[in-house]
Amino acid sequence: MMILGLETSCDETAAAVVEDGRHAHSSVVASQIDVHKAYGGVVPEVAARSHIEVVLPVIHEALDKAGVTWDQIDGIAVTHGPGLLGSLLMGTLTARTLALAHHKPLYAVNHVVAHTFANALVPETAGFEPDIFPLLSLSASGKHSELLLFDSPLEYRLLGSTRDDAAGEAFDKVARMLGLPYPGGPQIGKLALQGNEQAFQLPTARLDNSYDFSFSGLKTAVLRGLQTAIGGDFRTPSAELPDRLTDQQKADMAASFQRTVCETLAGHLRRAAAQFQPKTVVIAGGVAANGRLRKEVSRQLPYNINYAPMPYCTDNGAMIGAMGYHLAQAGLTTSPYELTTDPSLGF
Ligand code: KG4
Ligand code: ZN
């Protein structure tokens, strides 16, 4: 079964052709990073406009690269939430129109849940077959940090989520304090290689044994640590930090911050694995591309983890197509006349 997956929930316009939920025949991602860099983050109105410009070319390229025509597509899967309203509308309106024009069934996909399905695309695995469940997933990106427990591809429950900033958002904000461009995660990862990860001792939030996360206190601790490092106090504007910090101080903070976040994420995963005894553990979302996190997860958990390739960790259409396959198997179509968008779609 061949599914066209379409993703436009934030600043990436992405389409992919996925067979049977596990073979991506193509995956095209048009990133708007350069457009948003000037503002230090994503500007919703600009994002929506950029999707309009590229969505059809991206879909055509995905079909071309996969070497398929519309006749060979069995269904269209599209992200309908959570995300930015204008961006989601562009994707869902496009998918609804294409579903009507080409007489294809339409599948509505939850973006956060779909991140986990990137792991079904790993060639070394058997895909999301029944014997891999229960599956424990840490999904961490720029807008969400969730621990999910799957009993089957479409039966999942939320064990914990962030109470304030998402993990990726914390990477992006700390990167900004260090004068690094958006998106900050990959930049911090690179700079951290030159730093001492024990140089700064940063706090981790303790949330009474729950599986929730909190990263805003850590972000403030980074700010205070950097202000102190340059001899300032809490009134020193963060905009002054990049020019007054030495390269070594920046690298040390990048490494210390990254260690703290990775230890926290992996620690939650380890506790949840001990309690729920899943057969499989995966990590997903943009932050799952972080090498230090992968190392920490492998160190803390007694599981043989097949990590998804980097391009399937950040936003892409293949994970949408992979989840769409399972919705198709379950007969969960949505009418193109009725598909809605939900910016704060939950679980
Ligand atoms: O999943 P994603 O592409 O989009 C959202 O759904 O948010 O995740 C993007 C987030 C950004 O915050 C980015 O800084 C972070 O993932 N990220 C990383 C890395 N690559 C991307 N964080 C840490 N290390 C990375 N290598
Ligand atoms: Zn995402």
Side-chain angles (χ1 to χ4, degrees), residues 116-148:
T116 297
F117 285 77
N119 292 279
L121 301 162
V122 180
E124 294 77 33
T125 69
F128 276 18
E129 294 298 321
D131 63 347
I132 71 161
F133 297 96
L135 175 146
L136 176 66
S137 174
L138 166 71
S139 184
S141 81
K143 290 162 299 285
H144 48 85
S145 305
E146 266 95 20
L147 263 181
L148 293 166

Side-chain angles (χ1 to χ4, degrees), residues 79-144:
T79 303
H80 77 127
L84 302 171
L85 178 60
S87 295
L88 289 166
L89 277 172
M90 291 311 125
T92 50
L93 286 170
T94 304
R96 290 166 67 184
T97 309
L98 290 171
L100 285 168
H102 294 285
H103 308 289
K104 305 292 178 191
L106 187 60
Y107 304 101
V109 171
N110 180 318
H111 176 91
V112 175
V113 179
H115 265 297
T116 297
F117 285 77
N119 292 279
L121 301 162
V122 180
E124 294 77 33
T125 69
F128 276 18
E129 294 298 321
D131 63 347
I132 71 161
F133 297 96
L135 175 146
L136 176 66
S137 174
L138 166 71
S139 184
S141 81
K143 290 162 299 285
H144 48 85

